[in-house]
Amino acid sequence: MNVLILTDFSEVSSNAARYAVDFLQDTEANFYFLNIQDFDFKRSSLKNLDRKLIEILHKLEQSAAELKAYSTSPRHHFNTILSSENLISAVRKALTEKKIDLIFIGAISHKVHHHPILGDHAYEVVRKIRCNILAIPANCTYRFPEKVLLPIDHSVQQEEEIPTIISQNSFLHLSDFTVLKLKENQRSLVLISNPQQTETSVVEENQGDFSEEWFGEIQQDYDLIFIIGKNLSICDRFLHYKHGITANIDLHLPIFVFHNPR
């Protein structure tokens, strides 16, 4: 597996990197640290360019070395990418050249969404990059996702497709899923135990209005949120840096955004 980690050398992105290693602890993986810099190539700035380039490359190598030391798997390998392109172009280039299967990105608190990579641009990555993405909140540590919340827009996503989608993610084969069906401001929960099994336990319960307060409470009951990328309204509701629920409350759960394989 080839994994891309977006880093700006902050603790938030370092935490996402550690989560990536823990999440894939039993998987052979090549990890690529991607850092993006807006280099000034004007003649008047060339004197400082070499110094800045060396400094950034050193930070990248140091990040890779620290994560290698953190990992306990001999099947984990660490590499670095430095780019001066814009975020989306740099990520798309890495996806093509490194054949990336999964992206990890830090998710900051609602108070600092102006952050250059992990705020509004993180949302841009989720919406524009067709690759599976895990957004990891600050201070979120890995635990096996025993209970997964899967919100869907019932008008877009057919429920019968869900077991097939989940089966494409081997690290969730032992997880129990709760499907959260959202329509306008209403919600209902469909409790499904291991939906990839032929026999499932299904209980549907009408939950009334969907609210930020309710979502803040329910975060305590789950280990991960799984969003199907084509459910654009769900992505907006959960991930939009200005208008989604995380614009006003802190997110404590990792969010997995699934896109169909390329």
Side-chain angles (χ1 to χ4, degrees):
M1 174 174 283
N2 296 317
V3 180
L4 188 67
I5 300 172
L6 303 186
T7 182
D8 59 356
F9 310 120
S10 67
E11 174 54 28
V12 177
S13 58
S14 296
N15 181 68
R18 292 190 295 270
Y19 190 100
V21 163
D22 291 336
F23 189 81
L24 299 171
Q25 57 188 311
D26 298 322
T27 303
E28 183 170 358
N30 296 308
F31 295 91
Y32 294 90
F33 277 93
L34 171 62
N35 178 258
I36 298 168
Q37 294 290 325
D38 184 15
F39 291 113
D40 187 351
F41 292 103
K42 295 178 181 177
R43 183 180 296 275
S44 59
S45 302
L46 292 180
K47 183 181 298 185
N48 296 320
L49 183 59
D50 285 347
R51 179 183 55 79
K52 182 176 181 180
L53 184 59
I54 292 172
E55 178 184 327
I56 297 301
L57 287 173
H58 174 71
K59 284 185 176 181
L60 267 175
E61 293 295 339
Q62 186 177 29
S63 296
E66 289 175 353
L67 195 60
K68 182 177 181 179
Y70 177 81
S71 173
T72 58
S73 173
R75 299 193 298 163
H76 287 173
H77 308 283
F78 302 91
N79 312 272
T80 62
I81 304 172
L82 177 60
S83 176
S84 60
E85 299 186 54
N86 66 65
L87 177 63
I88 298 303
S89 295
V91 172
R92 284 176 175 161
K93 184 176 181 180
L95 257 60
T96 300
E97 293 184 351
K98 307 302 182 183
K99 302 185 186 306
I100 299 299
D101 304 295
L102 183 59
I103 298 173
F104 284 82
I105 188 168
I108 57 177
S109 72
H110 70 275
K111 297 178 182 178
V112 283
H113 276 297
H114 60 274
H115 197 286
I117 288 184
L118 304 179
D120 52 352
H121 289 179
Y123 176 74
E124 188 179 11
V125 169
V126 168
R127 290 298 299 266
K128 294 183 178 180
I129 299 298
R130 297 296 176 238
C131 180
N132 292 342
I133 298 168
L134 258 166
I136 311 300
N139 302 319
C140 178
T141 57
Y142 174 77
R143 62 184 180 190
F144 178 77
E146 293 183 2
K147 299 180 67 177
V148 177
L149 183 68
L150 198 167
I152 64 170
D153 180 343
H154 197 258
S155 64
V156 174
Q157 183 61 58
Q158 299 297 316
E159 286 185 63
E160 55 267 25
E161 297 175 354
I162 291 175
T164 300
I165 290 172
I166 294 172
S167 69
Q168 297 178 52
N169 297 279
S170 59
F171 37 76
L172 297 177
H173 281 178
L174 299 178
S175 303
D176 288 338
F177 281 72
T178 296
V179 177
L180 170 62
K181 296 194 295 186
L182 297 174
K183 186 175 182 180
E184 296 178 351
N185 289 324
Q186 297 296 307
R187 72 180 193 267
S188 61
L189 293 179
V190 181
L191 308 178
I192 302 179
S193 178
N194 282 322
Q196 55 272 52
Q197 303 296 327
T198 54
E199 296 184 4
T200 61
S201 175
V202 179
V203 179
E204 182 164 357
E205 179 182 358
N206 182 15
Q207 297 286 312
D209 292 341
F210 179 83
S211 66
E212 293 173 358
E213 180 181 2
W214 173 82
F215 179 71
E217 295 174 355
I218 206 171
Q219 288 194 75
Q220 303 175 29
D221 299 328
Y222 295 91
D223 304 306
L224 183 142
I225 300 171
F226 187 99
I227 295 179
I228 300 169
K230 72 176 183 179
N231 281 206
L232 299 181
S233 64
I234 300 297
C235 287
D236 284 345
R237 186 172 293 195
F238 280 82
L239 291 166
H240 197 289
Y241 69 102
K242 287 184 178 179
H243 306 297
I245 57 175
T246 57
N248 298 312
I249 65 171
D250 275 338
L251 179 69
H252 302 295
L253 299 181
I255 293 184
F256 187 106
V257 182
F258 171 81
H259 291 284
N260 290 324
R262 299 186 302 278

Short mmCIF file of all heavy atoms in Angstrom, two decimals, residues 32-62:
data_model
loop_
_atom_site.label_atom_id
_atom_site.label_comp_id
_atom_site.label_asym_id
_atom_site.label_seq_id
_atom_site.Cartn_x
_atom_site.Cartn_y
_atom_site.Cartn_z
N TYR A 32 4.70 8.39 2.21
CA TYR A 32 5.31 9.54 1.55
C TYR A 32 4.88 10.82 2.27
O TYR A 32 3.69 11.13 2.31
CB TYR A 32 4.89 9.61 0.08
CG TYR A 32 5.42 8.47 -0.76
CD1 TYR A 32 4.68 7.30 -0.91
CD2 TYR A 32 6.65 8.57 -1.42
CE1 TYR A 32 5.17 6.24 -1.67
CE2 TYR A 32 7.14 7.52 -2.18
CZ TYR A 32 6.39 6.36 -2.31
OH TYR A 32 6.87 5.32 -3.07
N PHE A 33 5.83 11.54 2.85
CA PHE A 33 5.55 12.84 3.44
C PHE A 33 5.56 13.89 2.34
O PHE A 33 6.54 14.03 1.62
CB PHE A 33 6.64 13.21 4.46
CG PHE A 33 6.43 12.61 5.82
CD1 PHE A 33 7.00 11.41 6.16
CD2 PHE A 33 5.65 13.27 6.76
CE1 PHE A 33 6.82 10.87 7.42
CE2 PHE A 33 5.46 12.74 8.02
CZ PHE A 33 6.05 11.53 8.35
N LEU A 34 4.45 14.62 2.21
CA LEU A 34 4.37 15.70 1.22
C LEU A 34 4.30 17.04 1.93
O LEU A 34 3.39 17.29 2.74
CB LEU A 34 3.14 15.53 0.33
CG LEU A 34 2.82 16.71 -0.61
CD1 LEU A 34 3.95 16.95 -1.60
CD2 LEU A 34 1.49 16.48 -1.34
N ASN A 35 5.28 17.90 1.63
CA ASN A 35 5.26 19.27 2.14
C ASN A 35 5.25 20.22 0.94
O ASN A 35 5.92 19.99 -0.06
CB ASN A 35 6.48 19.55 3.02
CG ASN A 35 6.51 20.99 3.50
OD1 ASN A 35 7.25 21.82 2.99
ND2 ASN A 35 5.69 21.29 4.49
N ILE A 36 4.47 21.29 1.07
CA ILE A 36 4.33 22.25 -0.03
C ILE A 36 4.84 23.61 0.42
O ILE A 36 4.47 24.10 1.50
CB ILE A 36 2.86 22.36 -0.47
CG1 ILE A 36 2.39 20.99 -1.00
CG2 ILE A 36 2.68 23.43 -1.53
CD1 ILE A 36 0.90 20.90 -1.20
N GLN A 37 5.71 24.20 -0.39
CA GLN A 37 6.29 25.49 -0.06
C GLN A 37 6.09 26.46 -1.22
O GLN A 37 6.19 26.09 -2.38
CB GLN A 37 7.79 25.34 0.20
CG GLN A 37 8.13 24.54 1.44
CD GLN A 37 7.77 25.26 2.72
OE1 GLN A 37 7.87 26.49 2.80
NE2 GLN A 37 7.36 24.51 3.73
N ASP A 38 5.81 27.70 -0.87
CA ASP A 38 5.67 28.75 -1.88
C ASP A 38 7.03 29.46 -2.01
O ASP A 38 7.27 30.50 -1.41
CB ASP A 38 4.59 29.75 -1.45
CG ASP A 38 4.34 30.81 -2.51
OD1 ASP A 38 4.79 30.61 -3.66
OD2 ASP A 38 3.72 31.84 -2.18
N PHE A 39 7.91 28.85 -2.77
CA PHE A 39 9.26 29.39 -2.92
C PHE A 39 9.24 30.68 -3.75
O PHE A 39 8.50 30.79 -4.73
CB PHE A 39 10.18 28.38 -3.58
CG PHE A 39 10.49 27.20 -2.71
CD1 PHE A 39 10.03 25.93 -3.06
CD2 PHE A 39 11.24 27.33 -1.56
CE1 PHE A 39 10.31 24.83 -2.27
CE2 PHE A 39 11.54 26.24 -0.76
CZ PHE A 39 11.07 24.99 -1.11
N ASP A 40 10.08 31.62 -3.37
CA ASP A 40 10.23 32.88 -4.10
C ASP A 40 11.44 32.75 -5.02
O ASP A 40 12.58 32.72 -4.57
CB ASP A 40 10.42 34.03 -3.12
CG ASP A 40 10.40 35.39 -3.82
OD1 ASP A 40 10.41 35.41 -5.07
OD2 ASP A 40 10.38 36.41 -3.11
N PHE A 41 11.18 32.67 -6.34
CA PHE A 41 12.26 32.46 -7.30
C PHE A 41 12.76 33.77 -7.93
O PHE A 41 13.46 33.75 -8.93
CB PHE A 41 11.79 31.49 -8.40
CG PHE A 41 11.58 30.09 -7.91
CD1 PHE A 41 10.29 29.63 -7.68
CD2 PHE A 41 12.65 29.25 -7.66
CE1 PHE A 41 10.07 28.34 -7.22
CE2 PHE A 41 12.44 27.96 -7.20
CZ PHE A 41 11.16 27.50 -6.98
N LYS A 42 12.37 34.90 -7.35
CA LYS A 42 12.86 36.17 -7.87
C LYS A 42 14.37 36.27 -7.65
O LYS A 42 14.91 35.75 -6.68
CB LYS A 42 12.16 37.33 -7.17
CG LYS A 42 10.66 37.41 -7.46
CD LYS A 42 10.03 38.56 -6.69
CE LYS A 42 8.53 38.62 -6.95
NZ LYS A 42 7.87 39.69 -6.15
N ARG A 43 15.03 36.94 -8.57
CA ARG A 43 16.50 37.05 -8.50
C ARG A 43 16.94 37.62 -7.15
O ARG A 43 17.95 37.19 -6.58
CB ARG A 43 17.00 37.95 -9.63
CG ARG A 43 18.53 38.08 -9.69
CD ARG A 43 18.93 38.99 -10.83
NE ARG A 43 18.56 38.41 -12.12
CZ ARG A 43 19.30 37.55 -12.80
NH1 ARG A 43 20.46 37.14 -12.30
NH2 ARG A 43 18.89 37.08 -13.97
N SER A 44 16.18 38.58 -6.63
CA SER A 44 16.56 39.22 -5.36
C SER A 44 16.47 38.27 -4.17
O SER A 44 17.04 38.54 -3.11
CB SER A 44 15.68 40.44 -5.11
OG SER A 44 14.31 40.06 -5.06
N SER A 45 15.75 37.16 -4.36
CA SER A 45 15.55 36.22 -3.25
C SER A 45 16.39 34.97 -3.37
O SER A 45 16.35 34.11 -2.49
CB SER A 45 14.07 35.83 -3.17
OG SER A 45 13.24 36.96 -3.01
N LEU A 46 17.13 34.84 -4.45
CA LEU A 46 17.88 33.60 -4.69
C LEU A 46 18.94 33.34 -3.61
O LEU A 46 19.28 32.20 -3.32
CB LEU A 46 18.55 33.65 -6.07
CG LEU A 46 17.59 33.61 -7.26
CD1 LEU A 46 18.37 33.65 -8.58
CD2 LEU A 46 16.70 32.36 -7.21
N LYS A 47 19.44 34.42 -3.01
CA LYS A 47 20.48 34.26 -1.99
C LYS A 47 19.97 33.44 -0.81
O LYS A 47 20.70 32.64 -0.22
CB LYS A 47 20.94 35.63 -1.50
CG LYS A 47 22.07 35.57 -0.48
CD LYS A 47 22.46 36.96 -0.01
CE LYS A 47 22.97 37.80 -1.18
NZ LYS A 47 23.45 39.14 -0.71
N ASN A 48 18.68 33.62 -0.47
CA ASN A 48 18.10 32.92 0.68
C ASN A 48 17.41 31.61 0.28
O ASN A 48 17.02 30.84 1.16
CB ASN A 48 17.09 33.82 1.39
CG ASN A 48 17.74 35.05 1.99
OD1 ASN A 48 18.84 34.96 2.53
ND2 ASN A 48 17.06 36.19 1.89
N LEU A 49 17.26 31.39 -1.03
CA LEU A 49 16.51 30.22 -1.48
C LEU A 49 17.22 28.92 -1.11
O LEU A 49 16.57 27.98 -0.62
CB LEU A 49 16.29 30.29 -2.99
CG LEU A 49 15.45 29.16 -3.60
CD1 LEU A 49 14.07 29.13 -2.97
CD2 LEU A 49 15.32 29.33 -5.11
N ASP A 50 18.51 28.84 -1.33
CA ASP A 50 19.25 27.62 -1.00
C ASP A 50 19.14 27.29 0.48
O ASP A 50 18.95 26.14 0.86
CB ASP A 50 20.72 27.77 -1.38
CG ASP A 50 20.94 27.67 -2.89
OD1 ASP A 50 19.99 27.25 -3.58
OD2 ASP A 50 22.03 28.03 -3.36
N ARG A 51 19.26 28.31 1.31
CA ARG A 51 19.17 28.09 2.75
C ARG A 51 17.79 27.57 3.15
O ARG A 51 17.69 26.61 3.93
CB ARG A 51 19.45 29.40 3.49
CG ARG A 51 19.36 29.29 5.01
CD ARG A 51 19.57 30.64 5.66
NE ARG A 51 18.66 31.65 5.17
CZ ARG A 51 17.37 31.75 5.57
NH1 ARG A 51 16.89 30.89 6.44
NH2 ARG A 51 16.62 32.70 5.08
N LYS A 52 16.75 28.17 2.56
CA LYS A 52 15.39 27.73 2.89
C LYS A 52 15.15 26.31 2.37
O LYS A 52 14.54 25.49 3.07
CB LYS A 52 14.36 28.68 2.27
CG LYS A 52 12.93 28.31 2.62
CD LYS A 52 11.93 29.32 2.07
CE LYS A 52 10.51 28.92 2.45
NZ LYS A 52 9.51 29.89 1.93
N LEU A 53 15.64 26.01 1.18
CA LEU A 53 15.45 24.69 0.60
C LEU A 53 16.12 23.62 1.47
O LEU A 53 15.52 22.57 1.76
CB LEU A 53 16.03 24.65 -0.81
CG LEU A 53 15.84 23.35 -1.60
CD1 LEU A 53 14.37 23.02 -1.75
CD2 LEU A 53 16.50 23.48 -2.97
N ILE A 54 17.32 23.87 1.90
CA ILE A 54 18.04 22.92 2.75
C ILE A 54 17.31 22.73 4.08
O ILE A 54 17.19 21.62 4.60
CB ILE A 54 19.49 23.41 2.98
CG1 ILE A 54 20.28 23.34 1.68
CG2 ILE A 54 20.17 22.58 4.07
CD1 ILE A 54 21.66 23.96 1.75
N GLU A 55 16.82 23.83 4.62
CA GLU A 55 16.10 23.78 5.90
C GLU A 55 14.84 22.92 5.79
O GLU A 55 14.56 22.08 6.66
CB GLU A 55 15.74 25.20 6.34
CG GLU A 55 14.96 25.27 7.63
CD GLU A 55 14.55 26.70 7.97
OE1 GLU A 55 15.32 27.63 7.64
OE2 GLU A 55 13.48 26.88 8.56
N ILE A 56 14.06 23.12 4.71
CA ILE A 56 12.82 22.36 4.54
C ILE A 56 13.11 20.88 4.29
O ILE A 56 12.44 20.00 4.85
CB ILE A 56 11.99 22.94 3.37
CG1 ILE A 56 11.57 24.38 3.68
CG2 ILE A 56 10.76 22.08 3.11
CD1 ILE A 56 10.74 24.55 4.93
N LEU A 57 14.10 20.61 3.47
CA LEU A 57 14.45 19.21 3.20
C LEU A 57 14.91 18.52 4.48
O LEU A 57 14.58 17.34 4.70
CB LEU A 57 15.55 19.14 2.14
CG LEU A 57 15.12 19.47 0.71
CD1 LEU A 57 16.33 19.54 -0.22
CD2 LEU A 57 14.11 18.44 0.19
N HIS A 58 15.63 19.24 5.32
CA HIS A 58 16.05 18.67 6.61
C HIS A 58 14.84 18.34 7.48
O HIS A 58 14.78 17.28 8.12
CB HIS A 58 16.98 19.63 7.32
CG HIS A 58 17.36 19.19 8.70
ND1 HIS A 58 18.21 18.12 8.94
CD2 HIS A 58 16.97 19.65 9.93
CE1 HIS A 58 18.34 17.95 10.25
NE2 HIS A 58 17.61 18.86 10.86
N LYS A 59 13.86 19.26 7.51
CA LYS A 59 12.65 19.01 8.31
C LYS A 59 11.89 17.79 7.79
O LYS A 59 11.38 16.98 8.58
CB LYS A 59 11.74 20.25 8.27
CG LYS A 59 12.21 21.39 9.14
CD LYS A 59 11.17 22.51 9.13
CE LYS A 59 11.55 23.64 10.06
NZ LYS A 59 10.52 24.71 10.07
N LEU A 60 11.82 17.66 6.47
CA LEU A 60 11.13 16.51 5.89
C LEU A 60 11.83 15.20 6.26
O LEU A 60 11.18 14.23 6.67
CB LEU A 60 11.07 16.66 4.36
CG LEU A 60 9.82 17.30 3.77
CD1 LEU A 60 9.98 17.48 2.27
CD2 LEU A 60 8.57 16.49 4.08
N GLU A 61 13.14 15.18 6.11
CA GLU A 61 13.90 13.98 6.45
C GLU A 61 13.77 13.67 7.94
O GLU A 61 13.69 12.50 8.34
CB GLU A 61 15.37 14.16 6.07
CG GLU A 61 15.63 14.26 4.57
CD GLU A 61 15.30 12.97 3.83
OE1 GLU A 61 15.24 11.90 4.48
OE2 GLU A 61 15.08 13.03 2.60
N GLN A 62 13.75 14.70 8.75
CA GLN A 62 13.61 14.50 10.19
C GLN A 62 12.23 13.92 10.52
O GLN A 62 12.11 13.03 11.37
CB GLN A 62 13.81 15.83 10.93
CG GLN A 62 13.81 15.69 12.44
CD GLN A 62 14.09 17.02 13.13
OE1 GLN A 62 13.77 18.08 12.60
NE2 GLN A 62 14.70 16.97 14.29
#
